[in-house]
Amino acid sequence: MIFWRGWGIIGIIFPVLIVGLLASLGFNDENFQWYYFIGLTLSAILIWFIGKRLNRDKDEIFMNERTGERFKIGNRHTLFFIPLQYYAIVYPVLGIIPFFA
């Protein structure tokens, strides 16, 4: 089960699309480690900038007039409860793993 909030799903869509695109451009099984690493690194760069932009601090505080309760509504774009931009650290590390397997 995949949990995301907001546009957090692009944390899965971008790596799959980019690695798939590189694989379809003619990389074969001999050098799959390289297109896997390059694809995940390129998607990490995109996810970093998009995640930082989407999760910028623009919180708004509202108050319920009847109860007086205050609550904050802000930008939250997460994947598995982790802010989107932090997957830019995870994906290059996952791209290095096939070199050691």
Side-chain angles (χ1 to χ4, degrees), residues 31-63:
N31 55 6
F32 84 95
Q33 297 100 340
W34 285 105
Y35 79 79
Y36 187 70
F37 175 70
I38 291 170
L40 287 179
T41 303
L42 288 175
S43 64
I45 292 169
L46 285 173
I47 288 171
W48 173 259
F49 288 112
I50 292 172
K52 289 296 281 184
R53 176 74 176 156
L54 289 175
N55 286 326
R56 65 183 182 263
D57 293 326
K58 273 191 123 176
D59 297 333
E60 296 182 36
I61 298 175
F62 294 99
M63 188 166 86

Side-chain angles (χ1 to χ4, degrees), residues 3-16:
F3 297 101
W4 72 85
R5 180 182 284 175
W7 285 98
I9 190 67
I10 65 174
I12 292 176
I13 293 173
F14 279 5
V16 169

Side-chain angles (χ1 to χ4, degrees), residues 22-91:
L22 290 177
S24 70
L25 290 177
F27 290 100
N28 55 18
D29 290 336
E30 292 175 3
N31 55 6
F32 84 95
Q33 297 100 340
W34 285 105
Y35 79 79
Y36 187 70
F37 175 70
I38 291 170
L40 287 179
T41 303
L42 288 175
S43 64
I45 292 169
L46 285 173
I47 288 171
W48 173 259
F49 288 112
I50 292 172
K52 289 296 281 184
R53 176 74 176 156
L54 289 175
N55 286 326
R56 65 183 182 263
D57 293 326
K58 273 191 123 176
D59 297 333
E60 296 182 36
I61 298 175
F62 294 99
M63 188 166 86
N64 187 340
E65 293 177 4
R66 190 171 50 115
T67 63
E69 179 184 4
R70 302 176 107 189
F71 56 96
K72 180 170 62 170
I73 297 177
N75 295 331
R76 301 261 314 161
H77 302 278
T78 61
L79 177 64
F80 293 112
F81 311 107
I82 299 172
L84 184 61
Q85 64 267 22
Y86 295 131
Y87 282 93
I89 298 167
V90 173
Y91 286 136

